[in-house]
Amino acid sequence: MTTDETTHERASKGSTGAIQSVDRAVSVLEILARLGEAGVTEIADELEVHKSTAFRLLGVLENRGLVSQAQDRGKYFLGAGVLRLAGAAAVRLDISQEGVPVCRELADELGETVNIAVLDDNAAVNIMQARGSASVTAQNWLGRRTPLHATSSGKVLLAHLPMTLREGLLARALARYTEHTLTSTAMLRAELDATCAQGFAIAAEELELGLHAVAAPVRAHDGRVIGALSVSGPAYRLERDRLPELAARTALAADELSRRMGYGF
């Protein structure tokens, strides 16, 4: 066997081992969800592995807050980290479900593409989309990750982040997509402040030439911004002088979705 073949075989085995570890870790969570709580021996028996393997898996999950241990009984149970992950998933599910009628109505009224985006690390990802009559040939944005600084949805999400998180993202180099993309941190910071003040964001040919978009924040029951509702279309239909008017209409729709999410009650 050659050196390259040996290296490939080791890498393959390592990859298989990593997948097996992930599978076992998920199985531990499923066991605890089913049983409520369980000890190391019980989990090892369920997984059909040695106790030391089960103990290592539980240790990793405990460090991540996904499981906790009752010190008096030595039993393990699901930790608060699972609730955090479930809550994030529930928010995405709720906002996309509640957003359907709001986005459909707005898309029908304006004839353009309407999206709901949420923050995903350092990008905005579109989780729901409705197309109006004029946008039948528009590109599909659903599931697409887009840069925060070059899109209207991204600017809304970035603008409403806690200041430390916002500044951390602004410390990174800002990629240029068109000649209109804001790559100056100072200029972008000023636009983000304006976004918070006026209640909407505008992106005019900043991601793609010929593409204009406006967006407004969607809030949860506690006032946190959990998404951005946007309207996008070609620049020849969404002329620059119309964008503030469209942004104000989009903000009204975003307010309606926020009410559906429990904000203001």
PDB file of all heavy atoms in Angstrom, residues 187-222:
ATOM      1  N   MET A 187     -19.314  54.134   7.291  1.00  0.00           N
ATOM      2  CA  MET A 187     -20.533  54.417   6.525  1.00  0.00           C
ATOM      3  C   MET A 187     -21.623  53.388   6.826  1.00  0.00           C
ATOM      4  O   MET A 187     -22.802  53.726   6.961  1.00  0.00           O
ATOM      5  CB  MET A 187     -20.225  54.446   5.029  1.00  0.00           C
ATOM      6  CG  MET A 187     -19.361  55.617   4.595  1.00  0.00           C
ATOM      7  SD  MET A 187     -18.989  55.588   2.821  1.00  0.00           S
ATOM      8  CE  MET A 187     -20.632  55.824   2.133  1.00  0.00           C
ATOM      9  N   LEU A 188     -21.225  52.121   6.953  1.00  0.00           N
ATOM     10  CA  LEU A 188     -22.201  51.080   7.257  1.00  0.00           C
ATOM     11  C   LEU A 188     -22.762  51.277   8.655  1.00  0.00           C
ATOM     12  O   LEU A 188     -23.970  51.130   8.876  1.00  0.00           O
ATOM     13  CB  LEU A 188     -21.559  49.697   7.132  1.00  0.00           C
ATOM     14  CG  LEU A 188     -22.470  48.509   7.453  1.00  0.00           C
ATOM     15  CD1 LEU A 188     -23.695  48.498   6.553  1.00  0.00           C
ATOM     16  CD2 LEU A 188     -21.702  47.191   7.320  1.00  0.00           C
ATOM     17  N   ARG A 189     -21.891  51.632   9.596  1.00  0.00           N
ATOM     18  CA  ARG A 189     -22.356  51.864  10.976  1.00  0.00           C
ATOM     19  C   ARG A 189     -23.400  52.991  10.994  1.00  0.00           C
ATOM     20  O   ARG A 189     -24.414  52.886  11.694  1.00  0.00           O
ATOM     21  CB  ARG A 189     -21.171  52.192  11.870  1.00  0.00           C
ATOM     22  CG  ARG A 189     -21.530  52.256  13.351  1.00  0.00           C
ATOM     23  CD  ARG A 189     -20.326  52.583  14.209  1.00  0.00           C
ATOM     24  NE  ARG A 189     -19.420  51.456  14.303  1.00  0.00           N
ATOM     25  CZ  ARG A 189     -18.186  51.428  13.795  1.00  0.00           C
ATOM     26  NH1 ARG A 189     -17.719  52.473  13.118  1.00  0.00           N
ATOM     27  NH2 ARG A 189     -17.413  50.367  13.947  1.00  0.00           N
ATOM     28  N   ALA A 190     -23.164  54.049  10.246  1.00  0.00           N
ATOM     29  CA  ALA A 190     -24.119  55.156  10.182  1.00  0.00           C
ATOM     30  C   ALA A 190     -25.439  54.700   9.574  1.00  0.00           C
ATOM     31  O   ALA A 190     -26.519  55.088  10.033  1.00  0.00           O
ATOM     32  CB  ALA A 190     -23.533  56.308   9.364  1.00  0.00           C
ATOM     33  N   GLU A 191     -25.378  53.837   8.556  1.00  0.00           N
ATOM     34  CA  GLU A 191     -26.606  53.342   7.935  1.00  0.00           C
ATOM     35  C   GLU A 191     -27.367  52.417   8.888  1.00  0.00           C
ATOM     36  O   GLU A 191     -28.597  52.402   8.897  1.00  0.00           O
ATOM     37  CB  GLU A 191     -26.286  52.622   6.626  1.00  0.00           C
ATOM     38  CG  GLU A 191     -27.540  52.221   5.883  1.00  0.00           C
ATOM     39  CD  GLU A 191     -27.316  52.034   4.379  1.00  0.00           C
ATOM     40  OE1 GLU A 191     -26.390  52.658   3.824  1.00  0.00           O
ATOM     41  OE2 GLU A 191     -28.082  51.271   3.787  1.00  0.00           O
ATOM     42  N   LEU A 192     -26.642  51.638   9.673  1.00  0.00           N
ATOM     43  CA  LEU A 192     -27.303  50.761  10.642  1.00  0.00           C
ATOM     44  C   LEU A 192     -28.021  51.581  11.717  1.00  0.00           C
ATOM     45  O   LEU A 192     -29.126  51.230  12.141  1.00  0.00           O
ATOM     46  CB  LEU A 192     -26.278  49.824  11.285  1.00  0.00           C
ATOM     47  CG  LEU A 192     -25.602  48.822  10.342  1.00  0.00           C
ATOM     48  CD1 LEU A 192     -24.575  47.992  11.099  1.00  0.00           C
ATOM     49  CD2 LEU A 192     -26.616  47.920   9.666  1.00  0.00           C
ATOM     50  N   ASP A 193     -27.395  52.657  12.142  1.00  0.00           N
ATOM     51  CA  ASP A 193     -28.052  53.547  13.115  1.00  0.00           C
ATOM     52  C   ASP A 193     -29.322  54.152  12.507  1.00  0.00           C
ATOM     53  O   ASP A 193     -30.352  54.265  13.183  1.00  0.00           O
ATOM     54  CB  ASP A 193     -27.090  54.661  13.541  1.00  0.00           C
ATOM     55  CG  ASP A 193     -25.940  54.129  14.402  1.00  0.00           C
ATOM     56  OD1 ASP A 193     -26.080  53.024  14.959  1.00  0.00           O
ATOM     57  OD2 ASP A 193     -24.916  54.823  14.515  1.00  0.00           O
ATOM     58  N   ALA A 194     -29.247  54.525  11.234  1.00  0.00           N
ATOM     59  CA  ALA A 194     -30.420  55.080  10.559  1.00  0.00           C
ATOM     60  C   ALA A 194     -31.510  54.028  10.418  1.00  0.00           C
ATOM     61  O   ALA A 194     -32.707  54.332  10.530  1.00  0.00           O
ATOM     62  CB  ALA A 194     -30.018  55.614   9.180  1.00  0.00           C
ATOM     63  N   THR A 195     -31.111  52.792  10.194  1.00  0.00           N
ATOM     64  CA  THR A 195     -32.072  51.692  10.085  1.00  0.00           C
ATOM     65  C   THR A 195     -32.872  51.546  11.373  1.00  0.00           C
ATOM     66  O   THR A 195     -34.097  51.387  11.350  1.00  0.00           O
ATOM     67  CB  THR A 195     -31.343  50.370   9.764  1.00  0.00           C
ATOM     68  OG1 THR A 195     -30.750  50.463   8.468  1.00  0.00           O
ATOM     69  CG2 THR A 195     -32.292  49.181   9.803  1.00  0.00           C
ATOM     70  N   CYS A 196     -32.185  51.612  12.500  1.00  0.00           N
ATOM     71  CA  CYS A 196     -32.874  51.523  13.794  1.00  0.00           C
ATOM     72  C   CYS A 196     -33.821  52.703  13.990  1.00  0.00           C
ATOM     73  O   CYS A 196     -34.938  52.544  14.499  1.00  0.00           O
ATOM     74  CB  CYS A 196     -31.851  51.477  14.925  1.00  0.00           C
ATOM     75  SG  CYS A 196     -30.902  49.947  15.003  1.00  0.00           S
ATOM     76  N   ALA A 197     -33.381  53.882  13.573  1.00  0.00           N
ATOM     77  CA  ALA A 197     -34.180  55.088  13.790  1.00  0.00           C
ATOM     78  C   ALA A 197     -35.424  55.141  12.913  1.00  0.00           C
ATOM     79  O   ALA A 197     -36.509  55.516  13.365  1.00  0.00           O
ATOM     80  CB  ALA A 197     -33.315  56.328  13.548  1.00  0.00           C
ATOM     81  N   GLN A 198     -35.283  54.734  11.642  1.00  0.00           N
ATOM     82  CA  GLN A 198     -36.405  54.869  10.708  1.00  0.00           C
ATOM     83  C   GLN A 198     -37.277  53.628  10.605  1.00  0.00           C
ATOM     84  O   GLN A 198     -38.392  53.681  10.072  1.00  0.00           O
ATOM     85  CB  GLN A 198     -35.885  55.250   9.322  1.00  0.00           C
ATOM     86  CG  GLN A 198     -35.019  54.183   8.661  1.00  0.00           C
ATOM     87  CD  GLN A 198     -34.232  54.720   7.482  1.00  0.00           C
ATOM     88  OE1 GLN A 198     -34.152  55.925   7.263  1.00  0.00           O
ATOM     89  NE2 GLN A 198     -33.615  53.834   6.703  1.00  0.00           N
ATOM     90  N   GLY A 199     -36.766  52.495  11.104  1.00  0.00           N
ATOM     91  CA  GLY A 199     -37.574  51.278  11.119  1.00  0.00           C
ATOM     92  C   GLY A 199     -37.513  50.445   9.857  1.00  0.00           C
ATOM     93  O   GLY A 199     -38.292  49.508   9.695  1.00  0.00           O
ATOM     94  N   PHE A 200     -36.575  50.719   8.965  1.00  0.00           N
ATOM     95  CA  PHE A 200     -36.418  49.905   7.761  1.00  0.00           C
ATOM     96  C   PHE A 200     -35.024  50.117   7.179  1.00  0.00           C
ATOM     97  O   PHE A 200     -34.315  51.057   7.552  1.00  0.00           O
ATOM     98  CB  PHE A 200     -37.493  50.230   6.712  1.00  0.00           C
ATOM     99  CG  PHE A 200     -37.503  51.672   6.252  1.00  0.00           C
ATOM    100  CD1 PHE A 200     -36.588  52.141   5.318  1.00  0.00           C
ATOM    101  CD2 PHE A 200     -38.439  52.564   6.761  1.00  0.00           C
ATOM    102  CE1 PHE A 200     -36.599  53.462   4.899  1.00  0.00           C
ATOM    103  CE2 PHE A 200     -38.469  53.889   6.351  1.00  0.00           C
ATOM    104  CZ  PHE A 200     -37.544  54.336   5.417  1.00  0.00           C
ATOM    105  N   ALA A 201     -34.661  49.234   6.248  1.00  0.00           N
ATOM    106  CA  ALA A 201     -33.373  49.329   5.561  1.00  0.00           C
ATOM    107  C   ALA A 201     -33.597  49.221   4.064  1.00  0.00           C
ATOM    108  O   ALA A 201     -34.568  48.602   3.603  1.00  0.00           O
ATOM    109  CB  ALA A 201     -32.425  48.224   6.020  1.00  0.00           C
ATOM    110  N   ILE A 202     -32.697  49.829   3.311  1.00  0.00           N
ATOM    111  CA  ILE A 202     -32.761  49.807   1.855  1.00  0.00           C
ATOM    112  C   ILE A 202     -31.429  49.321   1.305  1.00  0.00           C
ATOM    113  O   ILE A 202     -30.362  49.682   1.826  1.00  0.00           O
ATOM    114  CB  ILE A 202     -33.065  51.218   1.298  1.00  0.00           C
ATOM    115  CG1 ILE A 202     -34.489  51.642   1.666  1.00  0.00           C
ATOM    116  CG2 ILE A 202     -32.865  51.271  -0.223  1.00  0.00           C
ATOM    117  CD1 ILE A 202     -34.824  53.074   1.290  1.00  0.00           C
ATOM    118  N   ALA A 203     -31.488  48.490   0.282  1.00  0.00           N
ATOM    119  CA  ALA A 203     -30.281  48.062  -0.424  1.00  0.00           C
ATOM    120  C   ALA A 203     -30.524  48.259  -1.913  1.00  0.00           C
ATOM    121  O   ALA A 203     -31.386  47.598  -2.501  1.00  0.00           O
ATOM    122  CB  ALA A 203     -29.966  46.604  -0.124  1.00  0.00           C
ATOM    123  N   ALA A 204     -29.800  49.175  -2.505  1.00  0.00           N
ATOM    124  CA  ALA A 204     -29.963  49.501  -3.920  1.00  0.00           C
ATOM    125  C   ALA A 204     -28.740  49.030  -4.704  1.00  0.00           C
ATOM    126  O   ALA A 204     -27.680  49.657  -4.638  1.00  0.00           O
ATOM    127  CB  ALA A 204     -30.168  51.006  -4.101  1.00  0.00           C
ATOM    128  N   GLU A 205     -28.887  47.916  -5.393  1.00  0.00           N
ATOM    129  CA  GLU A 205     -27.818  47.328  -6.215  1.00  0.00           C
ATOM    130  C   GLU A 205     -26.543  47.076  -5.408  1.00  0.00           C
ATOM    131  O   GLU A 205     -25.450  47.165  -5.950  1.00  0.00           O
ATOM    132  CB  GLU A 205     -27.510  48.230  -7.412  1.00  0.00           C
ATOM    133  CG  GLU A 205     -28.685  48.410  -8.355  1.00  0.00           C
ATOM    134  CD  GLU A 205     -28.307  49.126  -9.633  1.00  0.00           C
ATOM    135  OE1 GLU A 205     -28.116  50.377  -9.570  1.00  0.00           O
ATOM    136  OE2 GLU A 205     -28.188  48.462 -10.673  1.00  0.00           O
ATOM    137  N   GLU A 206     -26.688  46.704  -4.158  1.00  0.00           N
ATOM    138  CA  GLU A 206     -25.520  46.473  -3.304  1.00  0.00           C
ATOM    139  C   GLU A 206     -25.066  45.021  -3.313  1.00  0.00           C
ATOM    140  O   GLU A 206     -23.904  44.731  -3.048  1.00  0.00           O
ATOM    141  CB  GLU A 206     -25.822  46.941  -1.879  1.00  0.00           C
ATOM    142  CG  GLU A 206     -26.044  48.442  -1.790  1.00  0.00           C
ATOM    143  CD  GLU A 206     -26.491  48.894  -0.410  1.00  0.00           C
ATOM    144  OE1 GLU A 206     -25.943  48.405   0.586  1.00  0.00           O
ATOM    145  OE2 GLU A 206     -27.412  49.743  -0.335  1.00  0.00           O
ATOM    146  N   LEU A 207     -25.986  44.102  -3.616  1.00  0.00           N
ATOM    147  CA  LEU A 207     -25.628  42.684  -3.731  1.00  0.00           C
ATOM    148  C   LEU A 207     -25.489  42.280  -5.199  1.00  0.00           C
ATOM    149  O   LEU A 207     -24.553  41.577  -5.579  1.00  0.00           O
ATOM    150  CB  LEU A 207     -26.687  41.804  -3.064  1.00  0.00           C
ATOM    151  CG  LEU A 207     -26.437  40.291  -3.126  1.00  0.00           C
ATOM    152  CD1 LEU A 207     -25.161  39.938  -2.370  1.00  0.00           C
ATOM    153  CD2 LEU A 207     -27.624  39.525  -2.565  1.00  0.00           C
ATOM    154  N   GLU A 208     -26.434  42.733  -6.011  1.00  0.00           N
ATOM    155  CA  GLU A 208     -26.416  42.452  -7.445  1.00  0.00           C
ATOM    156  C   GLU A 208     -26.837  43.709  -8.203  1.00  0.00           C
ATOM    157  O   GLU A 208     -27.752  44.418  -7.767  1.00  0.00           O
ATOM    158  CB  GLU A 208     -27.383  41.319  -7.801  1.00  0.00           C
ATOM    159  CG  GLU A 208     -27.041  39.981  -7.185  1.00  0.00           C
ATOM    160  CD  GLU A 208     -28.055  38.914  -7.552  1.00  0.00           C
ATOM    161  OE1 GLU A 208     -28.937  39.209  -8.399  1.00  0.00           O
ATOM    162  OE2 GLU A 208     -27.976  37.801  -7.003  1.00  0.00           O
ATOM    163  N   LEU A 209     -26.192  43.979  -9.307  1.00  0.00           N
ATOM    164  CA  LEU A 209     -26.584  45.097 -10.144  1.00  0.00           C
ATOM    165  C   LEU A 209     -27.997  44.858 -10.676  1.00  0.00           C
ATOM    166  O   LEU A 209     -28.333  43.754 -11.099  1.00  0.00           O
ATOM    167  CB  LEU A 209     -25.607  45.287 -11.295  1.00  0.00           C
ATOM    168  CG  LEU A 209     -24.200  45.786 -10.915  1.00  0.00           C
ATOM    169  CD1 LEU A 209     -23.293  45.810 -12.133  1.00  0.00           C
ATOM    170  CD2 LEU A 209     -24.280  47.163 -10.268  1.00  0.00           C
ATOM    171  N   GLY A 210     -28.818  45.891 -10.626  1.00  0.00           N
ATOM    172  CA  GLY A 210     -30.179  45.778 -11.111  1.00  0.00           C
ATOM    173  C   GLY A 210     -31.162  45.239 -10.099  1.00  0.00           C
ATOM    174  O   GLY A 210     -32.341  45.055 -10.411  1.00  0.00           O
ATOM    175  N   LEU A 211     -30.707  44.992  -8.856  1.00  0.00           N
ATOM    176  CA  LEU A 211     -31.588  44.461  -7.816  1.00  0.00           C
ATOM    177  C   LEU A 211     -31.744  45.474  -6.684  1.00  0.00           C
ATOM    178  O   LEU A 211     -30.750  45.939  -6.123  1.00  0.00           O
ATOM    179  CB  LEU A 211     -31.007  43.164  -7.244  1.00  0.00           C
ATOM    180  CG  LEU A 211     -31.788  42.531  -6.083  1.00  0.00           C
ATOM    181  CD1 LEU A 211     -33.141  42.007  -6.559  1.00  0.00           C
ATOM    182  CD2 LEU A 211     -30.980  41.407  -5.433  1.00  0.00           C
ATOM    183  N   HIS A 212     -32.975  45.812  -6.369  1.00  0.00           N
ATOM    184  CA  HIS A 212     -33.282  46.689  -5.248  1.00  0.00           C
ATOM    185  C   HIS A 212     -34.103  45.910  -4.212  1.00  0.00           C
ATOM    186  O   HIS A 212     -34.863  45.002  -4.563  1.00  0.00           O
ATOM    187  CB  HIS A 212     -34.086  47.908  -5.697  1.00  0.00           C
ATOM    188  CG  HIS A 212     -33.272  48.916  -6.448  1.00  0.00           C
ATOM    189  ND1 HIS A 212     -33.823  50.039  -7.034  1.00  0.00           N
ATOM    190  CD2 HIS A 212     -31.944  48.988  -6.686  1.00  0.00           C
ATOM    191  CE1 HIS A 212     -32.868  50.741  -7.613  1.00  0.00           C
ATOM    192  NE2 HIS A 212     -31.717  50.129  -7.421  1.00  0.00           N
ATOM    193  N   ALA A 213     -33.961  46.283  -2.949  1.00  0.00           N
ATOM    194  CA  ALA A 213     -34.718  45.606  -1.887  1.00  0.00           C
ATOM    195  C   ALA A 213     -34.896  46.525  -0.693  1.00  0.00           C
ATOM    196  O   ALA A 213     -34.071  47.424  -0.441  1.00  0.00           O
ATOM    197  CB  ALA A 213     -34.010  44.324  -1.454  1.00  0.00           C
ATOM    198  N   VAL A 214     -35.969  46.292   0.036  1.00  0.00           N
ATOM    199  CA  VAL A 214     -36.233  47.007   1.291  1.00  0.00           C
ATOM    200  C   VAL A 214     -36.614  45.962   2.333  1.00  0.00           C
ATOM    201  O   VAL A 214     -37.119  44.887   1.993  1.00  0.00           O
ATOM    202  CB  VAL A 214     -37.368  48.046   1.144  1.00  0.00           C
ATOM    203  CG1 VAL A 214     -36.980  49.129   0.151  1.00  0.00           C
ATOM    204  CG2 VAL A 214     -38.660  47.370   0.696  1.00  0.00           C
ATOM    205  N   ALA A 215     -36.379  46.257   3.599  1.00  0.00           N
ATOM    206  CA  ALA A 215     -36.700  45.295   4.656  1.00  0.00           C
ATOM    207  C   ALA A 215     -37.017  46.016   5.954  1.00  0.00           C
ATOM    208  O   ALA A 215     -36.577  47.154   6.180  1.00  0.00           O
ATOM    209  CB  ALA A 215     -35.535  44.326   4.869  1.00  0.00           C
ATOM    210  N   ALA A 216     -37.774  45.339   6.814  1.00  0.00           N
ATOM    211  CA  ALA A 216     -38.145  45.877   8.123  1.00  0.00           C
ATOM    212  C   ALA A 216     -38.066  44.757   9.160  1.00  0.00           C
ATOM    213  O   ALA A 216     -38.197  43.578   8.813  1.00  0.00           O
ATOM    214  CB  ALA A 216     -39.560  46.473   8.077  1.00  0.00           C
ATOM    215  N   PRO A 217     -37.883  45.111  10.424  1.00  0.00           N
ATOM    216  CA  PRO A 217     -37.692  44.092  11.465  1.00  0.00           C
ATOM    217  C   PRO A 217     -38.986  43.416  11.901  1.00  0.00           C
ATOM    218  O   PRO A 217     -40.044  44.038  11.965  1.00  0.00           O
ATOM    219  CB  PRO A 217     -37.084  44.897  12.616  1.00  0.00           C
ATOM    220  CG  PRO A 217     -37.612  46.285  12.426  1.00  0.00           C
ATOM    221  CD  PRO A 217     -37.692  46.487  10.940  1.00  0.00           C
ATOM    222  N   VAL A 218     -38.865  42.138  12.224  1.00  0.00           N
ATOM    223  CA  VAL A 218     -39.946  41.359  12.836  1.00  0.00           C
ATOM    224  C   VAL A 218     -39.518  41.052  14.265  1.00  0.00           C
ATOM    225  O   VAL A 218     -38.404  40.588  14.498  1.00  0.00           O
ATOM    226  CB  VAL A 218     -40.196  40.048  12.073  1.00  0.00           C
ATOM    227  CG1 VAL A 218     -41.292  39.231  12.761  1.00  0.00           C
ATOM    228  CG2 VAL A 218     -40.566  40.334  10.627  1.00  0.00           C
ATOM    229  N   ARG A 219     -40.418  41.319  15.212  1.00  0.00           N
ATOM    230  CA  ARG A 219     -40.073  41.182  16.629  1.00  0.00           C
ATOM    231  C   ARG A 219     -40.832  40.041  17.294  1.00  0.00           C
ATOM    232  O   ARG A 219     -41.966  39.715  16.912  1.00  0.00           O
ATOM    233  CB  ARG A 219     -40.365  42.488  17.372  1.00  0.00           C
ATOM    234  CG  ARG A 219     -39.548  43.669  16.853  1.00  0.00           C
ATOM    235  CD  ARG A 219     -39.854  44.956  17.600  1.00  0.00           C
ATOM    236  NE  ARG A 219     -39.119  46.072  17.039  1.00  0.00           N
ATOM    237  CZ  ARG A 219     -37.882  46.411  17.388  1.00  0.00           C
ATOM    238  NH1 ARG A 219     -37.260  45.708  18.332  1.00  0.00           N
ATOM    239  NH2 ARG A 219     -37.262  47.438  16.832  1.00  0.00           N
ATOM    240  N   ALA A 220     -40.202  39.465  18.314  1.00  0.00           N
ATOM    241  CA  ALA A 220     -40.841  38.443  19.139  1.00  0.00           C
ATOM    242  C   ALA A 220     -41.666  39.130  20.217  1.00  0.00           C
ATOM    243  O   ALA A 220     -41.686  40.364  20.323  1.00  0.00           O
ATOM    244  CB  ALA A 220     -39.783  37.538  19.765  1.00  0.00           C
ATOM    245  N   HIS A 221     -42.327  38.347  21.057  1.00  0.00           N
ATOM    246  CA  HIS A 221     -43.201  38.900  22.095  1.00  0.00           C
ATOM    247  C   HIS A 221     -42.462  39.815  23.060  1.00  0.00           C
ATOM    248  O   HIS A 221     -43.032  40.749  23.618  1.00  0.00           O
ATOM    249  CB  HIS A 221     -43.865  37.756  22.875  1.00  0.00           C
ATOM    250  CG  HIS A 221     -42.887  36.922  23.655  1.00  0.00           C
ATOM    251  ND1 HIS A 221     -42.563  37.185  24.972  1.00  0.00           N
ATOM    252  CD2 HIS A 221     -42.148  35.839  23.297  1.00  0.00           C
ATOM    253  CE1 HIS A 221     -41.672  36.302  25.389  1.00  0.00           C
ATOM    254  NE2 HIS A 221     -41.403  35.476  24.400  1.00  0.00           N
ATOM    255  N   ASP A 222     -41.145  39.561  23.239  1.00  0.00           N
ATOM    256  CA  ASP A 222     -40.364  40.365  24.178  1.00  0.00           C
ATOM    257  C   ASP A 222     -39.666  41.548  23.520  1.00  0.00           C
ATOM    258  O   ASP A 222     -38.876  42.245  24.153  1.00  0.00           O
ATOM    259  CB  ASP A 222     -39.332  39.486  24.890  1.00  0.00           C
ATOM    260  CG  ASP A 222     -38.387  38.780  23.922  1.00  0.00           C
ATOM    261  OD1 ASP A 222     -38.505  38.983  22.698  1.00  0.00           O
ATOM    262  OD2 ASP A 222     -37.525  38.008  24.395  1.00  0.00           O
TER     263      ASP A 222
END
